[in-house]
Structure formats: structure tokens, C-alpha cells
Short mmCIF file of all heavy atoms in Angstrom, two decimals:
data_model
loop_
_atom_site.label_atom_id
_atom_site.label_comp_id
_atom_site.label_asym_id
_atom_site.label_seq_id
_atom_site.Cartn_x
_atom_site.Cartn_y
_atom_site.Cartn_z
N ASN A 1 0.81 -1.22 0.00
CA ASN A 1 0.00 0.00 0.00
C ASN A 1 0.84 1.28 0.00
O ASN A 1 0.29 2.38 -0.02
CB ASN A 1 -0.94 0.01 1.21
CG ASN A 1 -1.98 -1.09 1.14
OD1 ASN A 1 -2.49 -1.39 0.06
ND2 ASN A 1 -2.29 -1.69 2.28
N VAL A 2 2.16 1.13 0.03
CA VAL A 2 3.04 2.30 0.04
C VAL A 2 2.96 3.04 -1.30
O VAL A 2 2.90 2.41 -2.36
CB VAL A 2 4.49 1.88 0.34
CG1 VAL A 2 5.47 2.99 -0.01
CG2 VAL A 2 4.64 1.53 1.82
N ARG A 3 2.96 4.37 -1.23
CA ARG A 3 2.96 5.20 -2.43
C ARG A 3 4.25 6.01 -2.47
O ARG A 3 4.89 6.22 -1.44
CB ARG A 3 1.76 6.16 -2.43
CG ARG A 3 0.41 5.44 -2.58
CD ARG A 3 -0.76 6.37 -2.28
NE ARG A 3 -0.82 6.71 -0.86
CZ ARG A 3 -0.82 7.94 -0.39
NH1 ARG A 3 -0.71 8.98 -1.23
NH2 ARG A 3 -0.91 8.16 0.90
N THR A 4 4.64 6.46 -3.65
CA THR A 4 5.83 7.30 -3.80
C THR A 4 5.45 8.59 -4.51
O THR A 4 4.45 8.64 -5.24
CB THR A 4 6.93 6.59 -4.61
OG1 THR A 4 6.40 6.22 -5.90
CG2 THR A 4 7.44 5.35 -3.90
N ARG A 5 6.24 9.61 -4.29
CA ARG A 5 6.09 10.84 -5.06
C ARG A 5 7.47 11.38 -5.36
O ARG A 5 8.42 11.18 -4.60
CB ARG A 5 5.25 11.88 -4.30
CG ARG A 5 5.94 12.51 -3.10
CD ARG A 5 5.07 13.59 -2.46
NE ARG A 5 5.79 14.24 -1.36
CZ ARG A 5 5.26 15.18 -0.57
NH1 ARG A 5 3.98 15.55 -0.75
NH2 ARG A 5 5.97 15.73 0.39
N PHE A 6 7.59 12.07 -6.49
CA PHE A 6 8.86 12.61 -6.95
C PHE A 6 8.75 14.12 -7.00
O PHE A 6 7.89 14.67 -7.70
CB PHE A 6 9.20 12.05 -8.34
CG PHE A 6 9.57 10.59 -8.32
CD1 PHE A 6 8.62 9.61 -8.06
CD2 PHE A 6 10.88 10.20 -8.56
CE1 PHE A 6 8.96 8.28 -8.05
CE2 PHE A 6 11.23 8.86 -8.54
CZ PHE A 6 10.27 7.89 -8.28
N ARG A 7 9.64 14.80 -6.25
CA ARG A 7 9.64 16.26 -6.23
C ARG A 7 10.84 16.79 -7.01
O ARG A 7 11.96 16.29 -6.83
CB ARG A 7 9.70 16.77 -4.78
CG ARG A 7 8.46 16.46 -3.96
CD ARG A 7 8.59 16.95 -2.52
NE ARG A 7 9.54 16.17 -1.74
CZ ARG A 7 10.75 16.56 -1.39
NH1 ARG A 7 11.21 17.76 -1.78
NH2 ARG A 7 11.54 15.78 -0.66
N PRO A 8 10.66 17.79 -7.86
CA PRO A 8 11.79 18.34 -8.63
C PRO A 8 12.93 18.79 -7.73
O PRO A 8 12.71 19.37 -6.66
CB PRO A 8 11.15 19.53 -9.37
CG PRO A 8 9.71 19.20 -9.45
CD PRO A 8 9.39 18.47 -8.18
N HIS A 9 14.13 18.51 -8.15
CA HIS A 9 15.31 18.85 -7.37
C HIS A 9 16.47 19.07 -8.33
O HIS A 9 16.30 19.00 -9.55
CB HIS A 9 15.63 17.74 -6.37
CG HIS A 9 16.49 18.17 -5.22
ND1 HIS A 9 16.02 18.97 -4.21
CD2 HIS A 9 17.79 17.90 -4.94
CE1 HIS A 9 16.99 19.17 -3.33
NE2 HIS A 9 18.08 18.55 -3.76
N PHE A 10 17.67 19.31 -7.77
CA PHE A 10 18.87 19.46 -8.60
C PHE A 10 19.99 18.59 -8.06
O PHE A 10 20.31 18.63 -6.86
CB PHE A 10 19.36 20.91 -8.64
CG PHE A 10 20.73 21.04 -9.27
CD1 PHE A 10 20.89 20.95 -10.65
CD2 PHE A 10 21.87 21.20 -8.48
CE1 PHE A 10 22.15 21.05 -11.23
CE2 PHE A 10 23.13 21.30 -9.06
CZ PHE A 10 23.27 21.22 -10.43
N PHE A 11 20.58 17.78 -8.93
CA PHE A 11 21.82 17.05 -8.67
C PHE A 11 22.70 17.22 -9.90
O PHE A 11 22.20 17.18 -11.04
CB PHE A 11 21.56 15.56 -8.43
CG PHE A 11 20.67 15.28 -7.25
CD1 PHE A 11 19.37 14.83 -7.45
CD2 PHE A 11 21.12 15.47 -5.96
CE1 PHE A 11 18.54 14.56 -6.38
CE2 PHE A 11 20.30 15.21 -4.88
CZ PHE A 11 19.01 14.77 -5.08
N PRO A 12 24.00 17.42 -9.73
CA PRO A 12 24.87 17.67 -10.89
C PRO A 12 24.89 16.52 -11.90
O PRO A 12 25.09 16.75 -13.09
CB PRO A 12 26.26 17.86 -10.25
CG PRO A 12 26.00 18.24 -8.83
CD PRO A 12 24.75 17.52 -8.46
N PHE A 13 24.69 15.30 -11.44
CA PHE A 13 24.88 14.14 -12.31
C PHE A 13 23.58 13.61 -12.92
O PHE A 13 23.61 12.62 -13.65
CB PHE A 13 25.59 13.01 -11.54
CG PHE A 13 25.24 12.96 -10.08
CD1 PHE A 13 24.11 12.31 -9.63
CD2 PHE A 13 26.06 13.60 -9.16
CE1 PHE A 13 23.80 12.29 -8.29
CE2 PHE A 13 25.75 13.58 -7.81
CZ PHE A 13 24.61 12.92 -7.36
N THR A 14 22.44 14.20 -12.61
CA THR A 14 21.18 13.78 -13.22
C THR A 14 20.39 15.00 -13.71
O THR A 14 20.48 16.08 -13.14
CB THR A 14 20.31 12.99 -12.22
OG1 THR A 14 20.14 13.76 -11.01
CG2 THR A 14 20.91 11.64 -11.90
N GLU A 15 19.65 14.78 -14.79
CA GLU A 15 18.81 15.86 -15.35
C GLU A 15 17.73 15.23 -16.24
O GLU A 15 18.06 14.61 -17.28
CB GLU A 15 19.67 16.84 -16.15
CG GLU A 15 18.89 17.97 -16.78
CD GLU A 15 18.12 18.82 -15.77
OE1 GLU A 15 18.67 19.06 -14.66
OE2 GLU A 15 16.99 19.22 -16.09
N PRO A 16 16.45 15.32 -15.87
CA PRO A 16 15.94 15.98 -14.67
C PRO A 16 16.24 15.18 -13.40
O PRO A 16 16.52 13.98 -13.47
CB PRO A 16 14.43 16.05 -14.94
CG PRO A 16 14.17 14.86 -15.80
CD PRO A 16 15.38 14.74 -16.69
N SER A 17 16.16 15.86 -12.25
CA SER A 17 16.43 15.24 -10.95
C SER A 17 15.20 15.35 -10.06
O SER A 17 14.37 16.26 -10.24
CB SER A 17 17.62 15.92 -10.26
OG SER A 17 18.78 15.88 -11.06
N ALA A 18 15.09 14.45 -9.10
CA ALA A 18 13.94 14.46 -8.21
C ALA A 18 14.29 13.85 -6.86
O ALA A 18 15.10 12.91 -6.79
CB ALA A 18 12.77 13.69 -8.83
N GLU A 19 13.71 14.40 -5.81
CA GLU A 19 13.74 13.77 -4.50
C GLU A 19 12.59 12.77 -4.43
O GLU A 19 11.49 13.03 -4.93
CB GLU A 19 13.57 14.82 -3.39
CG GLU A 19 14.79 15.70 -3.18
CD GLU A 19 15.84 15.05 -2.30
OE1 GLU A 19 15.71 13.85 -1.99
OE2 GLU A 19 16.81 15.74 -1.94
N VAL A 20 12.84 11.64 -3.81
CA VAL A 20 11.82 10.60 -3.69
C VAL A 20 11.28 10.57 -2.26
O VAL A 20 12.06 10.48 -1.31
CB VAL A 20 12.39 9.21 -4.05
CG1 VAL A 20 11.31 8.14 -3.93
CG2 VAL A 20 12.98 9.22 -5.45
N ASP A 21 9.97 10.65 -2.13
CA ASP A 21 9.29 10.50 -0.84
C ASP A 21 8.44 9.25 -0.88
O ASP A 21 7.94 8.84 -1.94
CB ASP A 21 8.38 11.69 -0.54
CG ASP A 21 9.14 13.02 -0.47
OD1 ASP A 21 10.35 12.98 -0.18
OD2 ASP A 21 8.51 14.06 -0.70
N VAL A 22 8.28 8.61 0.28
CA VAL A 22 7.35 7.49 0.39
C VAL A 22 6.27 7.85 1.40
O VAL A 22 6.52 8.60 2.35
CB VAL A 22 8.05 6.18 0.83
CG1 VAL A 22 9.09 5.76 -0.19
CG2 VAL A 22 8.69 6.33 2.20
N SER A 23 5.07 7.34 1.16
CA SER A 23 4.01 7.57 2.14
C SER A 23 4.40 6.90 3.44
O SER A 23 4.96 5.81 3.46
CB SER A 23 2.68 7.00 1.62
OG SER A 23 2.81 5.62 1.32
N CYS A 24 4.14 7.58 4.54
CA CYS A 24 4.60 7.11 5.85
C CYS A 24 4.07 5.71 6.14
O CYS A 24 2.85 5.49 6.18
CB CYS A 24 4.13 8.09 6.93
SG CYS A 24 4.64 7.61 8.60
N PRO A 25 4.96 4.75 6.35
CA PRO A 25 4.50 3.38 6.62
C PRO A 25 3.87 3.20 7.99
O PRO A 25 3.25 2.18 8.27
CB PRO A 25 5.79 2.54 6.50
CG PRO A 25 6.90 3.50 6.78
CD PRO A 25 6.44 4.83 6.28
N PHE A 26 4.01 4.21 8.86
CA PHE A 26 3.47 4.10 10.22
C PHE A 26 2.02 4.57 10.30
O PHE A 26 1.23 4.02 11.07
CB PHE A 26 4.33 4.90 11.19
CG PHE A 26 5.75 4.41 11.28
CD1 PHE A 26 6.76 5.01 10.55
CD2 PHE A 26 6.07 3.33 12.07
CE1 PHE A 26 8.06 4.56 10.61
CE2 PHE A 26 7.37 2.86 12.15
CZ PHE A 26 8.37 3.47 11.42
N CYS A 27 1.69 5.59 9.52
CA CYS A 27 0.31 6.12 9.58
C CYS A 27 -0.42 5.95 8.26
O CYS A 27 -1.58 6.37 8.13
CB CYS A 27 0.32 7.59 9.98
SG CYS A 27 1.12 8.68 8.76
N GLY A 28 0.24 5.38 7.26
CA GLY A 28 -0.41 5.19 5.97
C GLY A 28 -0.62 6.47 5.20
O GLY A 28 -1.41 6.50 4.24
N GLY A 29 0.07 7.53 5.62
CA GLY A 29 -0.04 8.79 4.90
C GLY A 29 -1.03 9.77 5.52
O GLY A 29 -1.20 10.88 5.01
N SER A 30 -1.64 9.40 6.65
CA SER A 30 -2.62 10.29 7.27
C SER A 30 -1.98 11.36 8.15
O SER A 30 -2.63 12.35 8.50
CB SER A 30 -3.62 9.47 8.11
OG SER A 30 -2.94 8.75 9.13
N GLY A 31 -0.71 11.19 8.51
CA GLY A 31 -0.01 12.16 9.33
C GLY A 31 0.21 11.66 10.74
O GLY A 31 -0.73 11.24 11.42
N CYS A 32 1.48 11.67 11.19
CA CYS A 32 1.80 11.21 12.55
C CYS A 32 3.10 11.89 12.99
O CYS A 32 3.67 12.72 12.27
CB CYS A 32 1.96 9.69 12.59
SG CYS A 32 3.38 9.05 11.63
N ARG A 33 3.56 11.52 14.18
CA ARG A 33 4.77 12.13 14.73
C ARG A 33 5.99 11.79 13.87
O ARG A 33 6.89 12.62 13.70
CB ARG A 33 4.99 11.61 16.16
CG ARG A 33 6.27 12.11 16.83
CD ARG A 33 6.40 11.54 18.21
NE ARG A 33 6.43 10.09 18.18
CZ ARG A 33 7.54 9.38 17.94
NH1 ARG A 33 8.70 10.00 17.69
NH2 ARG A 33 7.51 8.06 17.94
N ILE A 34 6.06 10.58 13.34
CA ILE A 34 7.23 10.15 12.57
C ILE A 34 7.39 10.99 11.30
O ILE A 34 8.50 11.41 10.96
CB ILE A 34 7.11 8.66 12.20
CG1 ILE A 34 6.95 7.80 13.46
CG2 ILE A 34 8.32 8.21 11.39
CD1 ILE A 34 8.11 7.86 14.40
N CYS A 35 6.28 11.23 10.60
CA CYS A 35 6.35 11.99 9.35
C CYS A 35 6.06 13.47 9.55
O CYS A 35 5.88 14.21 8.58
CB CYS A 35 5.37 11.42 8.32
SG CYS A 35 3.64 11.49 8.81
N LYS A 36 6.03 13.89 10.82
CA LYS A 36 5.78 15.30 11.17
C LYS A 36 4.46 15.79 10.58
O LYS A 36 4.35 16.91 10.08
CB LYS A 36 6.94 16.19 10.71
CG LYS A 36 8.27 15.81 11.34
CD LYS A 36 9.40 16.69 10.84
CE LYS A 36 10.73 16.27 11.48
NZ LYS A 36 11.86 17.08 10.99
N GLN A 37 3.46 14.90 10.63
CA GLN A 37 2.09 15.20 10.20
C GLN A 37 1.95 15.47 8.70
O GLN A 37 0.89 15.86 8.23
CB GLN A 37 1.52 16.41 10.98
CG GLN A 37 1.61 16.29 12.49
CD GLN A 37 0.91 15.05 13.03
OE1 GLN A 37 -0.14 14.66 12.53
NE2 GLN A 37 1.49 14.45 14.06
N SER A 38 3.01 15.22 7.93
CA SER A 38 2.94 15.49 6.49
C SER A 38 2.41 14.30 5.70
O SER A 38 1.94 14.46 4.57
CB SER A 38 4.32 15.86 5.96
OG SER A 38 5.19 14.73 5.99
N GLY A 39 2.52 13.11 6.26
CA GLY A 39 2.11 11.91 5.56
C GLY A 39 3.18 11.34 4.64
O GLY A 39 2.99 10.28 4.05
N TRP A 40 4.33 12.04 4.51
CA TRP A 40 5.41 11.62 3.61
C TRP A 40 6.75 11.63 4.33
O TRP A 40 6.97 12.44 5.23
CB TRP A 40 5.48 12.53 2.39
CG TRP A 40 4.25 12.50 1.54
CD1 TRP A 40 3.17 13.33 1.61
CD2 TRP A 40 3.97 11.57 0.49
NE1 TRP A 40 2.23 12.99 0.69
CE2 TRP A 40 2.70 11.91 -0.04
CE3 TRP A 40 4.66 10.49 -0.07
CZ2 TRP A 40 2.11 11.22 -1.08
CZ3 TRP A 40 4.08 9.80 -1.11
CH2 TRP A 40 2.82 10.15 -1.62
N ILE A 41 7.66 10.75 3.89
CA ILE A 41 9.02 10.69 4.43
C ILE A 41 10.01 10.73 3.28
O ILE A 41 9.91 9.94 2.33
CB ILE A 41 9.24 9.42 5.25
CG1 ILE A 41 8.32 9.42 6.47
CG2 ILE A 41 10.70 9.30 5.68
CD1 ILE A 41 8.43 8.18 7.32
N GLU A 42 10.94 11.68 3.35
CA GLU A 42 11.96 11.81 2.30
C GLU A 42 12.95 10.67 2.40
O GLU A 42 13.48 10.37 3.47
CB GLU A 42 12.67 13.15 2.45
CG GLU A 42 13.77 13.39 1.43
CD GLU A 42 14.51 14.69 1.68
OE1 GLU A 42 13.89 15.68 2.10
OE2 GLU A 42 15.74 14.69 1.49
N MET A 43 13.26 10.02 1.26
CA MET A 43 14.12 8.85 1.26
C MET A 43 15.44 9.04 0.51
O MET A 43 16.44 8.41 0.85
CB MET A 43 13.38 7.66 0.67
CG MET A 43 12.18 7.21 1.49
SD MET A 43 12.58 6.81 3.21
CE MET A 43 13.75 5.48 3.01
N GLY A 44 15.47 9.84 -0.55
CA GLY A 44 16.72 10.00 -1.29
C GLY A 44 16.51 10.67 -2.62
O GLY A 44 15.40 11.12 -2.95
N GLY A 45 17.58 10.73 -3.42
CA GLY A 45 17.54 11.42 -4.70
C GLY A 45 17.48 10.45 -5.87
O GLY A 45 17.77 9.26 -5.73
N SER A 46 17.11 11.00 -7.03
CA SER A 46 17.02 10.18 -8.24
C SER A 46 17.01 11.09 -9.45
O SER A 46 16.95 12.32 -9.33
CB SER A 46 15.74 9.34 -8.22
OG SER A 46 14.59 10.17 -8.30
N GLY A 47 17.06 10.50 -10.64
CA GLY A 47 16.96 11.28 -11.86
C GLY A 47 17.54 10.55 -13.05
O GLY A 47 18.11 9.46 -12.93
N MET A 48 17.39 11.17 -14.22
CA MET A 48 17.96 10.63 -15.45
C MET A 48 19.43 11.03 -15.54
O MET A 48 19.79 12.18 -15.24
CB MET A 48 17.20 11.16 -16.66
CG MET A 48 15.71 10.81 -16.67
SD MET A 48 15.42 9.02 -16.68
CE MET A 48 16.02 8.58 -18.31
#
């Protein structure tokens, strides 16, 4: 049931670049202390 989202970002070695977030596995994306009520947790970078 985990979801991902890609936010535009900049890295020298990829273009386009994106930060990857996953829906919080503790609250299912509804918001909790772990994800600071955002429903998402930043995991790392990516891009072409």
C-alpha cells in the first residue's frame, strides 16, 4: 500500500532530478509524529 512521489530537485549528475518521498509506513499517509504530520518521508535522490 506504500505510495511514492517525486519532487523536482537538482543534482549535478542527473537531469531531470527528483527527491523521492514514500508515504509514511506508520500512519499510511494520514499524518503522525514520525512523518511530522505530512504523511510523507523523504528517502533520497534520483533522476535521469
Side-chain angles (χ1 to χ4, degrees):
N1 294 322
V2 164
R3 293 168 290 124
T4 58
R5 72 177 183 183
F6 289 70
R7 293 179 289 105
H9 200 73
F10 169 76
F11 299 108
F13 33 83
T14 53
E15 179 59 38
S17 302
E19 287 278 9
V20 180
D21 299 335
V22 298
S23 57
C24 180
F26 298 98
C27 65
S30 60
C32 66
R33 177 181 60 83
I34 303 297
C35 62
K36 300 179 181 179
Q37 307 303 322
S38 69
W40 297 93
I41 296 178
E42 179 184 324
M43 295 304 299
S46 66
M48 300 300 292

